[in-house]
Amino acid sequence: MTTETPQASEAPGGDSPLKRAIGPKLLILFVIGDILGTGIYATTGKVAGKVGGALWLPFVIGFVVAILTAASYVELVGKYPKAAGAALYTQKAFKVPFLTFIIAFMVMCSGLSSASAAARAFSGDYFQEFTDAVPATLIAILFILALAALNLRGVSESVKTNVVLTIVELTGLMVILAIGASAVLSGEGDASRLTEFQATGTGYALITSVLGATALGFFAFVGFEDSVNMAEETKDPVRTFPKAIFIGVGVTGTIYVLVALASSLLVDYKTLEKSSGPLLEVVKAGGQDFPPKLFALIALFAVTNSALINIMMASRLCYGMANERILPRAMAKVLPKRRTPVVGIVFVSALAIGLVSTGEIEGLGDTTAFLLLCVFAVVNVAVLVLRKDPVEHSHFRAPTVLPVLGAITSLILASPLADRDAEVYIRAGVLVAIGIGLWALNKLVMKAGGEDTA
């Protein structure tokens, strides 16, 4: 990979009505916090149920797929440092408004299904370590509303909160790694589990089980693509994003593989599969004097971070799409003093509240991964198409083989080879159908107002 040094001028992207409040260090923590959270804390057990004791393997494969696609995002955000992310890149590459809208809608829905999974994780077993007196759905709804209020207050407050939560969730994962290291040094744990597969044989069943586990485990890696929607709120985004995204994916990928190894060493995959708080099982099995309630509290902070960032990103996506005339201009309205996209925040929060009742953590997480894998396939193709559209400023350029492999691997993991439940395809299909309906409605409104709908 090569990174060309951008020219000194701030021309790329121009001025933005949003406040540029995010510097390089803050962006790195933001990307790490965006990726860490619900996936590793809540779905690790379900991944183990699909693959078996070789829990580390899906995370290694997922890490490779994430790096491939991250390279494409880094190139594109360097060329076009604007909000809207995949929607902007799709429009510039293919110039098909309908495709642009569907991609944008899928990205938005992936963020909202991820936030909904986080809300469900928050109201589940980790919260119930303290009390089960409040209905889980009510907790999840109040959770979304609280995050919406924080987002309305301002991006600086939201990102600073993200930094605190990122440090807390990293601490929780460090606890798991410390417990795992202690077990290895003391001769505890069962190393034979690390090569144990749930599916027997070496044929089709084994391949689909590994692919299915990788597809679900990939939910833990999503988030780096959200960060490009903060381009208009980042200082010098052309210089800042390459390092931030690659460091973020590298750090989280390494942590995930180590956590997976520690989990398999200490806990049988069948026990992990049955738990909605799988890392809590690792804490209890580690033989260390670490309070389970304290770890449950850390896990609650972790899933809060995931939901906070997804609500934030989805609202910025609405803002970006409105500026591109894909959604009504009202979506671009910002609060005069806070300069936050108020309509976008209210809209995505309402959708998230609706989604918390559509499924459990595993189903919502797998839906998130499926939607984004489809989007990643398009983005990896888009980066190749846009090579014919040079820009005046210098920026990172990925080796051609990376987006090619990124598109292929994303399509494989999104295909039926990944052995995911039918409900994931149904939920995704319903969401896309809703998107098509909104697209048609938006065109009618624009036509009635005398606007160009081409």
Side-chain angles (χ1 to χ4, degrees), residues 166-332:
T166 296
I167 293 171
V168 172
E169 65 188 356
L170 274 172
T171 300
L173 296 177
M174 291 303 103
V175 168
I176 297 296
L177 297 184
I179 290 174
S182 176
V184 170
L185 293 175
S186 62
E188 298 178 10
D190 186 354
S192 67
R193 294 194 187 113
L194 300 180
T195 56
E196 180 184 16
F197 288 90
Q198 185 272 340
T200 58
T202 58
Y204 181 78
L206 179 60
I207 293 173
T208 56
S209 70
V210 172
L211 290 177
T214 302
L216 178 58
F218 196 72
F219 173 49
F221 285 97
V222 301
F224 66 85
E225 79 288 344
D226 281 340
S227 65
V228 301
N229 290 308
M230 302 301 289
E232 293 186 50
E233 292 167 280
T234 300
K235 301 172 184 176
D236 196 1
V238 177
R239 290 179 181 269
T240 303
F241 268 94
K243 181 183 293 186
I245 291 182
F246 286 128
I247 289 177
V249 175
V251 168
T252 54
T254 301
I255 291 174
Y256 285 172
V257 173
L258 293 175
V259 168
L261 288 168
S263 300
S264 288
L265 281 171
L266 294 175
V267 185
D268 180 77
Y269 79 87
K270 294 180 180 178
T271 301
L272 290 171
E273 180 183 16
K274 294 175 182 177
S275 175
S276 62
L279 299 190
L280 198 56
E281 298 294 333
V282 179
V283 171
K284 293 176 180 178
Q288 305 298 315
D289 189 19
F290 193 90
K293 287 187 181 297
L294 176 57
F295 188 84
L297 182 62
I298 291 172
L300 291 177
F301 280 119
V303 299
T304 297
N305 204 26
S306 294
L308 170 63
I309 294 176
N310 277 289
I311 293 293
M312 188 189 305
M313 292 306 101
S315 64
R316 269 61 181 184
L317 181 54
C318 279
Y319 166 84
M321 286 192 293
N323 280 335
E324 291 292 321
R325 307 302 290 126
I326 300 170
L327 285 176
R329 290 287 295 174
M331 289 289 188

Side-chain angles (χ1 to χ4, degrees), residues 18-22 26 30 150-161 230 233 312 316 338-340:
L18 300 178
K19 184 178 181 181
R20 293 192 182 275
I22 304 174
L26 200 57
F30 184 87
L150 179 60
N151 269 287
L152 284 170
R153 182 166 177 80
V155 66
S156 179
E157 289 81 356
S158 297
V159 173
K160 288 175 182 177
T161 301
M230 302 301 289
E233 292 167 280
M312 188 189 305
R316 269 61 181 184
R338 292 292 177 181
R339 296 172 70 183
T340 51

